[in-house]
Every structure is written in structure tokens, then in C-alpha cells.
Amino acid sequence: MCGIFGYIGPSAAAPLLISGLRRLEYRGYDSAGIAVINGDLDIYKKVGMVKELENILPATVKGNIGIAHTRWATHGGVTDANSHPHASEDGKVALVHNGIIENANALRNQLRKRGIVLKSETDSEVLVHMINLEYQSGAAPLTAVRRTLRRARGTWGICVIFLEHEKIICARNGSPLVIGIGEKETFIASDPHALTSHTQKVIYLEDGELAVLTAGDVKTSRNSGKIVDPTIHILDDDWGESELGDYPHYMIKEIHEQPDALRQCITGRINLSDGTGRLGGLRLSPKKLQAIPHVRLIACGTALNAALVGRLLIEKLARVPSLAHVASEFRYNDPVIDAKGLYFVVSQSGETADTLSAVKEIQTKGGTVMGVINVVGSSIARQCGAGAYIHSGPEQAVASTKAFTNMVAALTLFAIQIGRSRTLSRQNGRALVKGLREIPEQMGKYLSNQGPIMEAVEIIKEAKSVLFLGRGISSPVAREGALKLMELAYIPCLAYPSGEMKHGPIALLEEGSPVVVICPNDELKPKVLSAIHECKARGAKIILICEEGDEIAAEADVSICVPNTDPLLSPMLTVLPLQLIAYHTALELGLNVDRPRNLAKSVTVE
Ligand code: F6R
């Protein structure tokens, strides 16, 4: 989603802004722009990729102070005029904004009444005019920004530059901003990974805070005016894994990284002799675990699918009632929060606005919420204060793959941990942790011999729609397979628990309709087999994901086998062929697998 980068220091700003934007490209965007103080306030913005913006930049952009933006359209179409930065009418103030100004219409009308002509359809543009009005009436830059934000409702991460001042003013409310402190130079970005090639020293701006950046110095304060003493964090992420290497796309690279990523996630978190898992960051003793009356997991998209696997495992292994919730619905359903319950939010980016709102709702109502997060130091991780990192390493393709398997692994460890504090025997716990330890190798084995993926792609690629079926623990895996194929290949996909298929989706089936069935060797297999027969009787083509050596393979048009494991651990293996099917279908259709249309990696608006 939208990205921000800014620079103030001795070097030429423009090349740094462009390289900063490149590091934000993976988040997904539709236009890009920069503003640099270069005698005048020079602004260049363009619909399309950062390289198209680069193409229109003249060599004469020489200034040392600048701000930059990648836009993912929310208010107003994808046009050059709607791209950021936005400038005041006199060209003395420029601004970039992430987030949404909810009262933009009212503010827009007030500006029009004062004779100001707005050049874009965006909510963001109102801010720059309001700031300039304050500035023209004599307010200092920081005061002008502060007064403007007091009148705005919504979310923002903003950076503002003033032609007549050597500083960048930033403010955050619900949209992340991280300040990077270098030698006599200062950076700002919406994502710490854009900073790591310049500095490891960062300050995370908190909601309701503003910062004044000068070359090598930062002053932070609250919106009320109170000075804040910022904490400096040291980033340990050098973003080294972000290079494509020999892979043609990030998605396939990340699919193949899953065995190593999973090792990173489980290393040091397994106690084989006690047959348990240990997520130390949760700070939950067996006594505390025993007292938890129920567990709730909240997430979006792929993370929600992982949460759905996790909730089944927790309930099965610990006999604790457990539910997963859609984050975007959670807060608005006015949920009852039980202070004794345990709430988890699951998120790769740690920046998803819907998930962050759920965290705040739980905390406001006195609940305990922990993060299961990939990005270290992200807003959700910091807001929760406790939880477990999944250690997938940077995930750059918009479609999530290695984060899914690691979320499932972390939740499996938790399910075993809470299970052992209750009914799960040492023997059964040991069998599970042993099985979990083998998964990375089994993943590697499958990935080196993937089975007839391309035969499945042949059946799917021209289909009007694809039905995904699974039962029990494989039902969320079916959802994940459908989500991946839909987002990458733009084919309408439905995912259903296989027993529910006959209550509606069966009406879609006709001669040749592809049905992808996930069926590990568990006690539900006979039931899934009945669903397969019902589909075949209507002419459907069955693509089956099953375990090696299982005779059920003969029932399908295409069978893709994964190594044998405990059925409760199977999602980490059965999901692999589904990721590959989505990837190769998108490629066959000539689509951009790493940057599917309309999607963003980090969804920072509600
Ligand atoms: C799908 C995908 C999205 C994300 C969702 C939540 O491939 O990537 O559905 O899973 O937007 O994102 P995070 O996990 O960052 O909260």
C-alpha cells in the first residue's frame, strides 16, 4: 500500500528518494512522486512504476531535502494529479500522506469557500492547503502542521516540506512512520526496510506524535505540544534476503524458502523431552496457560486462514474453546472481551489497519492480546507488547506464502504448549513436536519433486471458476488455495468445507469444472471421498492433494502427493502444491505474479 520516503542531509535527495521508493515497491502501488527543494519546490509525479517516474526526472534536480511517495489509490482514480506529493497553491509547501482523512469533504468545502482551488480528488490534498493557510498567517511550520491535524479526523502518516525551511515535519496517527538517523543526515520512511541500507538507528514515531527532522537531528513532540524523549532502536534486518538471486520472481523464491524459514521459526522453540513447544515471548507459565478459558485469533486474508488452522489445533490439542475472527469485522461488531481470555492477532506485515484496530479494541476493553507477527518492530507487534515473531524473513511478493506456513507453525507450537498444560500427554506431545521438526525437510523433498502441477494448471487456467474443498484442518487450507489462485490468476474461486458443498456450490458444477480437493490421510478421508464422487458424477475434473502412497490418488484426474505426516501438521505440506498451482496458472496467463492488480502487500487503511 502507499509508501513514504524522505531525506534531509548533505547528499543529493532525488537519487536517494528514488532508491527509497524502490524498496517500498513490494508493498503494491499505482503511482509515484517526489518533491525536492531545489531553489523552488520541484515536484514530479507519474502514474505507473517508479522507473517511469525516474524517466521523467531531469538531471537538474539537485536539492538536499525531499519527500517521496508511492500511492495505492483510495480517494480518486489513478491519475498523475491524484499522485503525491501535493503542493499548496503558491508552491511553497508540499506534502505526502498515507492513511485516510475521514472529514476531507467538509474540509474541502471550507477550503473552497476561501477560494482555494483543489487540483486533485484526494483526501490528502486538503491537508497541504490547510497547513499553508496556517503558515501564511504566521505560524511556524510545526505549529501549522499541528493546528491542521487538530482539525483532521482519520489516519495519517505525513511528511511536509516548506520551501523556506530546511526541515521535514512528520506526523503519525495510525499510519506508520520510522525515522532513520544517519551521520549528519536524517531519513523517514513508512517501512523500516527502506532505511536499512542507510542506517540501523531508528525511531518509531507513535500515534499522536510529530517530529521535526533536520540533517542528523530529530525533535519529537505530542500533538498537544508536549516534548517526547524518543527511544532509539537498532535494526538488525539488513534486508539481505530481498535480492531475487537466480529466481525469476519473488513468489517462487519465497515458496522455495519455506523449509529454511520454517526452521528459523521452530528452532529453539521445541522441547523434545517434555514433548512441548515454547513460545517464550508470550510470557505464559503453564499455570497461566491452564487458567485461560478461551482463545480468540483475529486476522485478515492469508493470516486469517492460518488463524483458522490454529484455532482448530488449539481446540483439539488443549480442549480450550477457540475461535478465529475476521479482523475488519471484529471491532465493528462491538465484541464482548473477556479479560481472562487470550487474544492473538496474526499478521505478516504487522501493519494491517483492520488487525491493528482489533488490537486497540481488545486493549480498550481490558483484554490481553498477543501478536503472531513477521515484521519485527511493526506497529502491531509494538502495540501488543508481547507475542511471538514467526521469523519468515522478508516477504516481498504480494501473495503471502512463507508467512502462512510459519504462522501455522507458530500456532502449532502454541497449541502444543497450551495442550501440554492440560490434557495433551507427553507421548502425544513428543510425537507432534518430532513431526513438526521433520516438516522443513519434507517441504524440501516435495519442492524438489512437485508432481503434476502443470497438468492441474492446464485444467484450471481457462476455467470460469474453481471450487476448493477440504474438511477439518484442510478446510482453511482450501480457503488459502482459493485465495492464492484468485488473487494471482483473477479466476473466481470458492472454498468450502467439503461436506457443505452439496448445500449449494454443487450447482456450479458442469462438465469439466475444476475442483481442487485437499485430503490428507485423516479420519475424515471417507467423507471427503464421498464429496469427490458427488463432484465426479457431475462431470467435474478432480485435482487432488493427498499423501504419498495413498490409494485415494487413483480417484482423481490429477493427483499431487505430499510426504506423510500427522494430519494435524498436514497444512504446512498440503498448501505447497496450492501455492505452486496459483503461481504457475498466473504465469501461464501472462500475469504479474509478484504484483497482482489492485492488491497491496501491507493494507494500512481500513
Ligand atoms: C494474500 C495476502 C493477504 C494478507 C492480508 C493480511 O496472499 O497476502 O490476504 O494475508 O492482507 O496481511 P498481514 O498478514 O500483513 O496482516
Side-chain angles (χ1 to χ4, degrees):
M1 202 153 254
C2 302
I4 287 179
F5 191 84
Y7 174 78
I8 179 163
S11 303
L16 290 169
L17 297 178
I18 293 292
S19 73
L21 290 184
R22 282 199 187 288
R23 291 212 150 201
L24 297 170
E25 281 192 296
Y26 79 100
R27 295 164 66 103
Y29 67 104
D30 41 52
S31 42
I34 65 168
V36 178
I37 300 180
N38 180 29
D40 285 323
L41 242 175
D42 284 354
I43 297 186
Y44 301 91
K45 45 195 199 173
K46 188 99 193 92
V47 166
M49 309 296 281
V50 173
K51 66 174 177 301
E52 288 160 65
L53 170 68
E54 213 177 347
N55 289 343
I56 62 161
L57 285 186
T60 49
V61 192
K62 294 257 184 284
N64 311 108
I65 305 169
I67 53 178
H69 192 259
T70 45
R71 175 174 187 252
W72 186 84
T74 55
H75 286 56
V78 181
T79 63
D80 289 348
N82 287 340
S83 312
H84 300 214
H86 295 289
S88 59
E89 286 185 311
D90 60 7
K92 291 190 172 174
V93 186
L95 160 143
V96 292
H97 167 229
N98 284 357
I100 289 179
I101 303 302
E102 288 164 6
N103 58 339
N105 277 348
L107 298 170
R108 196 172 256 277
N109 289 337
Q110 289 169 21
L111 288 167
R112 283 206 186 101
K113 279 188 195 138
R114 297 187 67 159
I116 289 171
V117 180
L118 289 108
K119 294 203 185 88
S120 77
E121 304 153 310
T122 64
D123 53 333
S124 313
E125 190 190 347
V126 295
L127 296 178
V128 77
H129 297 297
M130 289 166 66
I131 291 167
N132 194 36
L133 285 174
E134 296 286 354
Y135 180 58
Q136 282 174 346
S137 68
L142 177 63
T143 311
V145 173
R146 187 175 273 141
R147 284 186 188 155
T148 298
L149 293 179
R150 282 186 191 146
R151 291 171 55 204
R153 265 202 338 265
T155 53
W156 54 81
I158 59 167
C159 292
V160 193
I161 50 176
F162 296 76
L163 179 61
E164 290 145 349
H165 295 267
E166 293 196 359
K167 53 184 70 164
I168 303 175
I169 312 286
C170 319
R172 170 189 167 142
N173 185 42
S175 223
L177 282 179
V178 194
I179 299 162
I181 304 158
E183 277 296 312
K184 299 195 174 81
E185 57 186 359
T186 310
F187 303 83
I188 177 98
S190 50
D191 184 327
H193 299 306
L195 299 176
T196 48
S197 56
H198 302 293
T199 178
Q200 307 299 116
K201 272 166 63 179
V202 300
I203 296 168
Y204 293 99
L205 216 54
E206 300 295 342
D207 282 349
E209 283 183 2
L210 295 101
V212 181
L213 315 186
T214 47
D217 191 38
V218 179
K219 299 256 180 302
T220 47
S221 58
R222 301 283 311 163
N223 220 358
S224 59
K226 187 168 172 268
I227 304 293
V228 176
D229 202 7
T231 309
I232 295 180
H233 298 261
I234 306 297
L235 293 174
D236 57 3
D237 175 3
D238 65 2
W239 203 231
E241 294 167 61
S242 74
E243 308 308 327
L244 260 180
D246 292 336
Y247 290 99
H249 304 102
Y250 282 107
M251 185 177 173
I252 194 71
K253 171 176 181 267
E254 287 159 10
I255 288 174
H256 281 274
E257 280 171 356
Q258 285 175 107
D260 279 343
L262 190 56
R263 278 185 199 102
Q264 291 290 334
C265 178
I266 64 178
T267 300
R269 287 170 162 177
I270 284 178
N271 179 335
L272 191 57
S273 74
D274 289 347
T276 190
R278 205 184 72 87
L279 295 179
L282 304 184
R283 296 183 223 119
L284 290 172
S285 63
K287 201 168 170 186
K288 280 190 186 156
L289 286 169
Q290 225 193 31
I292 291 169
H294 62 83
V295 180
R296 300 289 170 100
L297 302 106
I298 300 129
C300 306
T302 286
L304 177 64
N305 294 336
L308 285 162
V309 175
R311 86 124 197 118
L312 281 167
L313 291 171
I314 293 164
E315 203 155 292
K316 256 194 168 44
L317 297 178
R319 312 307 304 148
V320 182
S322 177
L323 282 175
H325 298 265
V326 175
S328 55
E329 291 288 299
F330 189 77
R331 177 194 209 176
Y332 297 99
N333 288 341
D334 195 15
V336 174
I337 301 298
D338 177 355
K340 296 200 193 85
L342 177 60
Y343 295 80
F344 279 117
V345 284
V346 186
S347 174
Q348 187 285 127
S349 62
E351 300 295 349
T352 303
D354 292 319
T355 311
L356 185 55
S357 303
V359 174
K360 291 179 181 163
E361 176 74 9
I362 296 162
Q363 291 174 335
T364 305
K365 290 181 169 169
T368 304
V369 53
M370 312 229 175
V372 177
I373 309 286
N374 191 32
V375 177
V376 176
S378 55
S379 300
I380 298 177
R382 285 180 301 116
Q383 183 73 32
C384 290
Y389 284 116
I390 62 167
H391 300 304
S392 298
E395 201 184 57
Q396 296 236 63
V398 164
S400 192
T401 53
K402 59 178 179 165
F404 174 81
T405 37
N406 275 21
M407 285 165 182
V408 170
L411 292 171
T412 305
L413 285 166
F414 175 73
I416 298 170
Q417 187 177 355
I418 186 169
R420 288 287 290 120
S421 77
R422 294 165 180 246
T423 51
L424 183 64
S425 69
R426 178 164 170 261
Q427 193 189 4
N428 291 345
R430 281 184 80 162
L432 279 167
V433 291
K434 265 185 161 166
L436 181 57
R437 261 197 343 191
E438 284 167 19
I439 298 280
E441 206 181 314
Q442 293 180 311
M443 282 176 154
K445 184 173 163 227
Y446 169 72
L447 289 170
S448 61
N449 184 11
Q450 300 171 0
I453 296 289
M454 294 316 289
E455 284 179 39
V457 171
E458 269 312 300
I459 296 174
I460 284 172
K461 70 179 188 197
E462 306 294 349
K464 278 192 292 196
S465 64
V466 182
L467 180 60
F468 285 75
L469 300 176
R471 198 148 181 172
I473 199 113
S474 300
S475 173
V477 181
R479 286 174 53 114
E480 179 58 9
L483 175 59
K484 281 299 84 98
L485 184 62
M486 184 167 55
E487 68 181 331
L488 291 177
Y490 318 146
I491 298 173
C493 294
L494 265 187
Y496 260 76
S498 56
E500 189 66 7
M501 190 256 317
K502 56 190 176 297
H503 298 291
I506 197 165
L508 293 178
L509 300 182
E510 51 190 38
E511 202 56 43
S513 301
V515 178
V516 181
V517 184
I518 296 98
C519 187
N521 203 354
D522 59 16
E523 78 280 5
L524 295 168
K525 195 169 75 173
K527 307 270 178 213
V528 179
L529 190 55
S530 305
I532 292 177
H533 288 155
E534 286 157 13
C535 294
K536 277 170 48 167
R538 272 108 196 144
K541 285 223 180 293
I542 307 295
I543 296 158
L544 181 67
I545 315 300
C546 60
E547 289 187 26
E548 277 166 1
D550 192 334
E551 62 206 22
I552 197 177
E555 299 282 345
D557 295 275
V558 176
S559 292
I560 302 169
C561 301
V562 297
N564 308 111
T565 184
D566 186 306
L568 295 183
L569 305 175
S570 63
M572 288 173 274
L573 294 172
T574 51
V575 77
L576 303 178
L578 304 179
Q579 296 168 344
L580 290 164
I581 288 172
Y583 172 77
H584 286 289
T585 308
L587 280 189
E588 284 286 299
L589 296 173
L591 301 171
N592 185 341
V593 279
D594 282 341
R595 314 252 176 277
R597 74 181 177 206
N598 302 338
L599 287 171
K601 184 68 186 159
S602 173
V603 184
T604 49
V605 292
E606 280 199 0

